[in-house]
């Protein structure tokens, strides 16, 4: 997992910065407030403005450790100073859903014998799904997590971050919560740990609320059996 500017400055959504490399329809920035997605979180959207263009940022790719921002105009080649802005409402929704996904997978891990996550996908409609390795579980027990989810929100538990060596994360069961998608190593071999204080601790590169109480209530919408091992839990924000 890469280190992103937004890990250190999650509240900075607009920035004046410099274009340090460009090709038609894409730029690399000296500093970027965008989260490029990953682990089920959808990449940020936003705008990029220079003295002679105002474009949308429509996607990202990492090449040789550098984050390229793809632009809505595929032929334009930009240089100089750029003013960039993350779509704040979209980021806020992803952050809220992603934090909810943590609370859900923390409760599944705690209440179902350390069951691991096998996949996650956030939506752009206020819903998300998490897949768990839960071969022998009665789906009604999963549906009943609804109350516990909202208890965690009511408790308003803070989230905090540390970076630990990858070997340390691997040696502690459950820290790499996703069975299939372990985060890639960083250049310096460190992994970002996200802790919901008093509840959970796991490796993650996404964006999170400052505390669980900042989330709207959640409800479990649907449980599906996906193959012999997997249960798919769909949840949503109560609006
Ligand atoms: Zn996360």
């Amino acid at each position: 997992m890469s280190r992103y500017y937004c890990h250190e400055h999650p509240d900075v959504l607009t920035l004046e910065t410099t274009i340090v490399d460009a090709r038609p329809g894409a730029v690399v920035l000296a500093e970027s407030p965008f989260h490029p997605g990953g682990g089920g979180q959808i990449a940020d959207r936003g705008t990029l403005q220079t003295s002679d263009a105002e474009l949308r940022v429509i996607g990202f790719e990492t090449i040789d450790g550098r984050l390229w921002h793809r632009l809505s105009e595929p032929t334009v080649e930009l240089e100089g100073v750029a003013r960039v802005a993350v779509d704040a409402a979209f980021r806020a929704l992803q952050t809220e859903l992603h934090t909810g996904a943590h609370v859900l997978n923390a409760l599944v891990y705690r209440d179902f014998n350390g069951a691991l996550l096998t996949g996650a996908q956030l939506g752009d409609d206020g819903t998300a799904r998490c897949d768990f390795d839960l071969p022998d579980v009665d789906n009604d027990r999963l549906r009943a997590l609804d109350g516990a989810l909202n208890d965690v929100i009511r408790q308003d538990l803070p989230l905090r971050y540390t970076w630990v060596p990858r070997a340390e994360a691997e040696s502690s069961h459950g820290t790499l919560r996703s069975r299939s998608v372990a985060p890639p190593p960083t250049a310096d071999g460190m992994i970002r740990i996200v802790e919901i204080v008093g509840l959970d601790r796991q490796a993650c590169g996404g964006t999170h609320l400052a505390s669980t109480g900042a989330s709207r209530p959640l409800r479990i919408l649907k449980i599906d059996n996906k193959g012999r091992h997997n249960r798919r839990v769909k949840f949503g924000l109560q609006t």
Side-chain angles (χ1 to χ4, degrees), residues 39 41 98-99 102 159 161 192 194 202-208:
Q41 181 163 346
H98 181 82
T99 306
H102 271 268
L159 279 81
Y161 304 91
R192 183 179 187 238
V194 179
Q202 64 177 286
C204 186
T207 65
H208 311 87

Side-chain angles (χ1 to χ4, degrees), residues 41-123:
Q41 181 163 346
I42 305 176
D44 277 337
R45 301 161 182 173
T47 56
L48 182 148
Q49 191 178 359
T50 65
S51 54
D52 42 31
E54 181 167 359
L55 303 167
R56 284 179 295 113
V57 176
I58 58 168
F60 303 90
E61 56 185 324
T62 300
I63 301 173
D64 296 333
R66 295 197 308 166
L67 182 65
W68 284 87
H69 301 63
R70 290 195 299 108
L71 304 170
S72 51
E73 183 53 66
T75 56
V76 72
E77 197 157 337
L78 300 176
E79 59 177 8
V81 171
R83 186 156 186 83
V84 292
V86 175
D87 180 333
F90 184 80
R91 161 74 73 82
L93 179 61
Q94 290 296 302
T95 298
E96 195 175 7
L97 280 174
H98 181 82
T99 306
H102 271 268
V103 174
L104 174 63
N105 83 52
L107 293 174
V108 169
Y109 183 78
R110 186 190 72 184
D111 295 349
F112 295 83
N113 301 317
L116 298 180
L117 191 67
T118 55
Q121 184 60 56
L122 309 187

Side-chain angles (χ1 to χ4, degrees), residues 3-23:
R3 290 177 186 246
Y4 302 132
Y5 179 89
C6 64
H7 288 158
E8 306 301 323
H9 309 280
D11 300 323
V12 176
L13 299 182
T14 61
L15 199 62
E16 191 169 283
T17 185
T18 310
I19 295 169
V20 295
D21 202 356
R23 56 181 165 83

